[in-house]
Amino acid sequence: MRTIDRWLTSPWRRSAAAALSGALPVLAFPAPSLWWWAYVALVPWLLLARSAPTGRRAAYDGWCGGFGFLLAVHHWLLPSLHVFIFLIAALLGVLWMPWGWLVRRLLGGPASAGRGAAALLVLPSAWLAVELVRSWQGLGGPWGMLGASQWQVAPALRLASVGGVWLLSFLVVAVNVAAAVLISVPASRVPAVASLAATAAVASAGWVWAPRPEVDGRARIAVVQPGVVAGRDSAERRFDLEERLTRRLAGQDVDLVVWGESSVGFDLDDRPDLARRLAALSRATGADVLVNVDARRSGRPGIYKSAVLVGPDGPTGDRYDKMRLVPFGEYIPARSLLGWATSVGRAAGEDRHRGTRQTLLDVGHGLRVGPLICFETAFPDLGRHLADDGADILLGQSSTSTFQHSWAPEQHASLAALRAAETGRPMVHATLTGVSAVYGPDGRRLGPWLGTGASAARVYDVPLAHGVTPYVRHGDWPVHGALLVLAVLGAAEGARAVRTRRSGPAPLVPPARTVHGSPARPGR
């Protein structure tokens, strides 16, 4: 242990160790998907920040660990953003500086049961505050929320229906803090064990108490995934392939056919021939076809990415324009300042335009679907609002062709499990190039995934449920609770600072006395 401490006396070695420690949780996400690893992955980072010689150094440990975490979770962006991904990770890593300072404040120094118990509540709350800030889409969105690593764990999915992915993140961090306390703070082991017992009790209570989705119907949803189509005239050839795959669905009694993101590269008003071909597919399959148009819209300036519904008579007029765009991928924030990103990576050459509101689409057969496009499936609030508005099914249209041979497709597909569990609504994740997946209203996977190498049309029997989950009813209450905890901590620290300032240090010499024996006053 002393050898390690001596090795960490170098600021550069310590920063490297913090960055490596921060990167460890990535193994809990797909593709490795070692979900159990999430419950101990933060321990090395916690122990490092706890041992920092000063509060400033602990804040730096938080920064370096945040840099490592973001770089690891988004490493698949490196071929697209090149050096820019390091700059983004360094800027957002600053969000973990207060967290690192709090780790040392509560776990370092003289040990006590009270400080250990406070750490078990404050540190998970501070982590949620970081996830809240970085969930703003302008800062990259909520990709890689720690709770999302639990997407295939049935008890965790039940808890997601109570408090969303936020509750899962809180509990995962709480377990990590308890483990770190057990290892390093003997005086606080009793509250650490109590915290682990409380976490188990909460998970068990959530399992028993949370209402289970009651299936009250079924729908047959077809997903059309053409696979990679590249080179010249790729938009035309992709449409031809999607058309051929869709025709195979004739006679299979489907309720809706879903194509992936950017499946149509032309505005349908400008290409009435494509609109007619889609209408013919709708008549052949007996179902509406939901396509995704990524094109410059006629009659309106700019490029939009839109979910467009086509029926047997052509486009129905129902469409949803993507609201939350991918920073640098679909627009460049502060383009006048950061436009140089286009010269070092595959950043957007032209900003796409945003939609203004979420939309439910009536696809016939008594079904209303809530569309989300690509990046939007990472946002818990979007799925919650669609379910609250009356969506029967959530639909995500995506394309990960740029990141085909990375962990990104599986990470993206896993997010739909969380959105389904949170809302009690099934979710269909249809992609252009994979991974496509479908989940039931409890978040469990239905049928096989369509992998990145698949070019197919597959029909899924999707159970429907219409109950209201606690998360849909009460929203992001774990976040509100975490902010309240931090507010109380801030008030307590402020009051403590005031008391210390008022008491002040003891005088070094007794006050001078006047000839009358009373203390001298200034100015006398």
Side-chain angles (χ1 to χ4, degrees), residues 39-63:
Y39 293 94
V40 294
L42 297 180
V43 171
W45 190 3
L46 287 162
L47 296 179
L48 186 68
R50 174 191 175 274
S51 68
T54 65
R56 177 179 293 183
R57 181 63 246 187
Y60 283 137
D61 290 343
W63 183 6

Side-chain angles (χ1 to χ4, degrees), residues 224-228 238 242 259-264 398-401 430-434 436 454:
V224 175
Q225 179 178 302
V228 176
R238 181 181 300 112
E242 290 165 326
W259 290 12
E261 179 189 16
S262 303
S263 49
V264 178
S398 176
S399 171
T400 52
S401 55
T431 68
L432 205 64
T433 58
S436 294

Side-chain angles (χ1 to χ4, degrees), residues 71 73-82 85 88 326 403 406 408:
L71 194 62
V73 172
H74 296 86
H75 71 275
W76 41 271
L77 285 171
L78 186 60
S80 296
L81 295 183
H82 300 295
I85 187 61
I88 293 172
V326 180
F403 314 107
S406 71

Side-chain angles (χ1 to χ4, degrees), residues 168-519:
L168 302 186
S169 287
F170 185 95
L171 294 176
V172 168
V173 178
V175 172
N176 275 275
V177 173
V181 170
L182 285 172
I183 293 172
S184 62
V185 190
S188 299
R189 284 175 179 170
V190 171
V193 172
S195 174
L196 290 173
T199 301
V202 168
S204 300
W207 176 266
V208 173
W209 171 76
R212 287 173 168 78
E214 295 185 6
V215 175
D216 54 14
R218 292 195 172 270
R220 287 174 60 80
I221 308 297
V223 173
V224 175
Q225 179 178 302
V228 176
V229 179
R232 295 183 57 184
D233 302 322
S234 59
E236 294 277 5
R237 292 187 291 109
R238 181 181 300 112
F239 189 95
D240 292 344
L241 177 55
E242 290 165 326
E243 183 179 37
R244 292 195 300 272
L245 291 171
T246 303
R247 288 198 175 279
R248 298 177 185 175
L249 300 171
Q252 296 193 42
D253 193 28
V254 297
D255 296 305
L256 177 68
V257 179
V258 185
W259 290 12
E261 179 189 16
S262 303
S263 49
V264 178
F266 310 94
D267 184 74
L268 294 179
D269 288 338
D270 286 341
R271 292 291 304 270
D273 58 318
L274 299 184
R276 288 192 294 270
R277 290 164 66 181
L278 288 169
L281 290 176
S282 177
R283 293 192 295 271
T285 59
D288 288 354
V289 182
L290 184 66
V291 300
N292 191 274
V293 176
D294 185 1
R296 194 175 302 279
R297 189 176 301 175
S298 61
R300 183 181 295 186
I303 301 174
Y304 287 81
K305 190 169 286 188
S306 307
V308 177
L309 193 63
V310 181
D313 299 320
T316 64
D318 290 340
R319 70 186 303 142
Y320 164 66
D321 298 328
K322 187 176 183 181
M323 296 169 55
R324 297 185 182 174
L325 304 177
V326 180
F328 298 96
E330 294 171 334
Y331 80 103
I332 295 182
R335 182 176 284 273
S336 60
L337 179 65
L338 302 176
W340 58 270
T342 58
S343 64
V344 297
R346 302 173 189 171
E350 178 181 351
D351 292 349
R352 283 172 169 77
H353 287 236
R354 304 175 189 275
T356 57
R357 62 185 179 87
Q358 290 188 269
T359 305
L360 292 183
L361 307 179
D362 186 347
V363 301
H365 306 279
L367 283 177
R368 291 193 300 173
V369 302
L372 299 167
I373 300 175
C374 192
F375 177 60
E376 294 180 325
T377 65
F379 291 85
D381 64 305
L382 293 181
R384 179 167 62 85
H385 292 151
L386 288 171
D388 194 40
D389 289 341
D392 300 302
I393 300 175
L394 303 181
L395 289 175
Q397 294 176 300
S398 176
S399 171
T400 52
S401 55
T402 306
F403 314 107
Q404 191 77 346
H405 302 293
S406 71
W407 293 354
E410 292 183 346
Q411 282 188 29
H412 201 176
S414 70
L415 296 176
L418 273 299
R419 303 294 86 83
E422 290 167 344
T423 60
R425 299 292 184 271
M427 182 158 183
V428 176
H429 180 78
T431 68
L432 205 64
T433 58
V435 171
S436 294
V438 179
Y439 301 90
D442 58 357
R444 299 193 186 193
R445 193 173 74 185
L446 303 175
W449 279 5
L450 290 178
T452 53
S455 178
R458 185 180 294 275
V459 179
Y460 294 86
D461 286 307
V462 180
L464 305 178
H466 294 90
V468 179
T469 66
Y471 177 68
V472 170
R473 178 177 291 113
H474 301 296
D476 300 328
W477 63 265
V479 178
H480 303 151
L483 295 179
L484 179 61
V485 167
L486 296 178
V488 170
L489 174 69
E493 289 290 325
R496 177 176 173 274
V498 169
R499 287 194 303 270
T500 302
R501 188 164 56 249
R502 284 179 177 174
S503 62
L508 297 178
V509 295
R513 291 187 173 271
T514 67
V515 67
H516 300 289
S518 60

Side-chain angles (χ1 to χ4, degrees), residues 14-25 41-46 48 64-65 68-69:
R14 188 178 185 93
S15 296
L20 180 60
S21 298
L24 292 177
L42 297 180
V43 171
W45 190 3
L46 287 162
L48 186 68
C64 294
F69 177 81

